[in-house]
Amino acid sequence: MSKTIQHIDYSEETEVLARFAKALGHPTRLIILKYLSNQSCCYTGDLVEALPLAQSTISQHLKELKDAGLIEGEINPPKIKYCIHQVNWKKAMRLFSTLFEEDFKSIKCC
């Protein structure tokens, strides 16, 4: 007989971790983050030159990463300069580290 969870109370950290995880859930976004981690900043055009993708596709992935808070963009018309959001990146590392370090021994499999 399985137990039913009647009420789930998501903590703010759980919701933030889920938002980060969703943003990291696409290989192109991981490549963009790796690229940005090796630069102090870059413009959309730099990524268009580095990746074999359309500018609109790259812009959409940048939007997802920015909405999740993993990168930040500074508008310098007509360009947008992107970089890793240092505070949120450290928070993501801490949250994922905590998740993967949790003791799952008490979880029983079917």
Side-chain angles (χ1 to χ4, degrees), residues 4 17 19 32 51 57 59-60 63 74 82 91 94 102 109:
T4 303
L17 179 60
R19 189 174 71 236
I32 289 171
L51 299 172
T57 301
S59 291
Q60 184 59 38
K63 179 185 181 319
E74 179 181 311
Y82 291 98
K91 185 175 189 174
R94 180 181 55 78
E102 287 182 5
C109 187

Side-chain angles (χ1 to χ4, degrees), residues 4-110:
T4 303
I5 299 174
Q6 298 298 323
H7 175 72
I8 299 175
D9 186 20
Y10 295 117
S11 70
E12 181 180 337
E13 285 194 341
T14 300
E15 297 214 9
V16 170
L17 179 60
R19 189 174 71 236
F20 291 157
K22 181 179 178 188
L24 296 172
H26 195 286
T28 299
R29 293 184 204 135
L30 296 176
I31 291 168
I32 289 171
L33 286 169
K34 285 180 185 180
Y35 184 88
L36 287 173
S37 71
N38 292 317
Q39 316 286 321
S40 59
C41 68
C42 79
Y43 293 94
T44 307
D46 299 329
L47 288 164
V48 171
E49 289 178 18
L51 299 172
L53 298 170
Q55 187 272 333
S56 59
T57 301
I58 291 171
S59 291
Q60 184 59 38
H61 287 298
L62 289 167
K63 179 185 181 319
E64 293 294 327
L65 290 167
K66 189 171 185 280
D67 288 349
L70 292 171
I71 65 172
E72 52 190 338
E74 179 181 311
I75 299 174
N76 295 319
K79 299 179 179 182
I80 301 175
K81 179 171 62 173
Y82 291 98
C83 62
I84 299 284
H85 190 296
Q86 296 296 319
V87 172
N88 286 346
W89 188 248
K90 288 177 185 172
K91 185 175 189 174
M93 287 191 297
R94 180 181 55 78
L95 291 172
F96 279 108
S97 192
T98 300
L99 173 69
F100 293 129
E101 290 174 357
E102 287 182 5
D103 182 8
F104 289 106
K105 293 177 185 172
S106 63
I107 297 175
K108 296 181 182 177
C109 187
C110 36

